[in-house]
Amino acid sequence: MWDYLRRSRQAVEAAGLHKVTLTKASPLVSLTDQGAVTGHLQINLHWTMRQADLVQQRGGLLRPGLFRPTQPQVSTRPMVNVDLDLACMYELADGSRGVVQPLGNLLGDLRRPPYIKISGDDRYGAPSGETMYINLDKRDSFKRLLVFVYIYDGTPAFDRTHAVVTLFPYVGPRIEVALDERAPQARSCAVVMIENKDGNLTVRREVRYVYGFQAELDRLYGFGMQWQRGYKTPQGTPE
């Protein structure tokens, strides 16, 4: 299945289709108007550390364990490992609600509700990033889907990464959302809301940072679910 989905994405990229960048000034795009409401919508999260934070020069030597601040400061900042996770809260047309995420092994299903599946958990920002798939052939089953990113553990570091979430419809241009606003203490970010209103499927840029985790995003958007702390094993396998 994953090979098929990857080939579908490669075919779209090979066609040379342009991209749509969602911004504050232009936050909304209609998948229905673009004819992109069938097949699998692929959502990819990719991030890299900001180059200015990778090394610091001291005494004529490069010390890879230290950062250089992007703005002049008295003290330096230590190297951190940033673990960003891609996830999705959903509300279906029948009223059922839930979340697809690495924590708790809630990886979803493409053939059965919620018709959303995440492929795995990238802990270090590998080139492939993290990928989620949404089965748009079941679009009538969706009411709203909140795609979000959170920092599982360690130092909040959204301001020290270049993170981009890209949506690849089965047909039409890819849709790109950059998480480029500085929110140094935030642990979660609502990225896009996908809504089905009267048969019109839209993607709206959110990029709203919060200082907590899923429960705080839930309160902000009113999904009304109950939450408890989740953990990962050292190897990255959800518990």
Side-chain angles (χ1 to χ4, degrees), residues 81-203:
N81 287 326
V82 180
D83 180 15
L84 300 184
D85 279 337
L86 180 66
C88 179
M89 292 185 200
Y90 61 84
E91 181 178 1
L92 302 184
D94 64 4
S96 59
R97 303 175 185 185
V99 64
V100 174
Q101 63 181 18
L103 289 180
N105 203 33
L106 301 172
L107 302 181
D109 196 298
L110 281 173
R111 296 185 177 89
R112 294 183 295 273
Y115 307 113
I116 306 165
K117 187 172 181 63
I118 192 165
S119 63
D121 180 20
D122 168 30
R123 308 223 37 198
Y124 302 107
S128 60
E130 293 195 359
T131 304
M132 178 185 300
Y133 299 91
I134 299 174
N135 186 355
L136 293 186
D137 291 334
K138 300 294 185 178
R139 60 190 178 279
D140 291 339
S141 298
F142 300 133
K143 181 177 181 180
R144 58 175 179 157
L145 311 175
L146 179 66
V147 178
F148 65 99
V149 173
Y150 62 96
I151 296 175
Y152 162 69
D153 203 359
T155 305
F158 274 111
D159 65 326
R160 298 164 74 172
T161 62
H162 287 292
V164 177
V165 173
T166 307
L167 289 72
F168 296 89
Y170 186 71
V171 296
R174 67 184 187 272
I175 301 165
E176 188 172 285
V177 181
L179 308 186
D180 52 6
E181 298 177 13
R182 295 302 180 101
Q185 298 302 315
R187 288 191 173 274
S188 304
C189 179
V191 182
V192 295
M193 179 73 79
I194 302 172
E195 292 183 288
N196 188 354
K197 293 184 177 179
D198 300 322
N200 185 24
L201 199 64
T202 60
V203 178

Side-chain angles (χ1 to χ4, degrees), residues 59 62 126 202 211 219 222:
L62 290 178
T202 60
Y211 298 99
R219 286 192 295 269

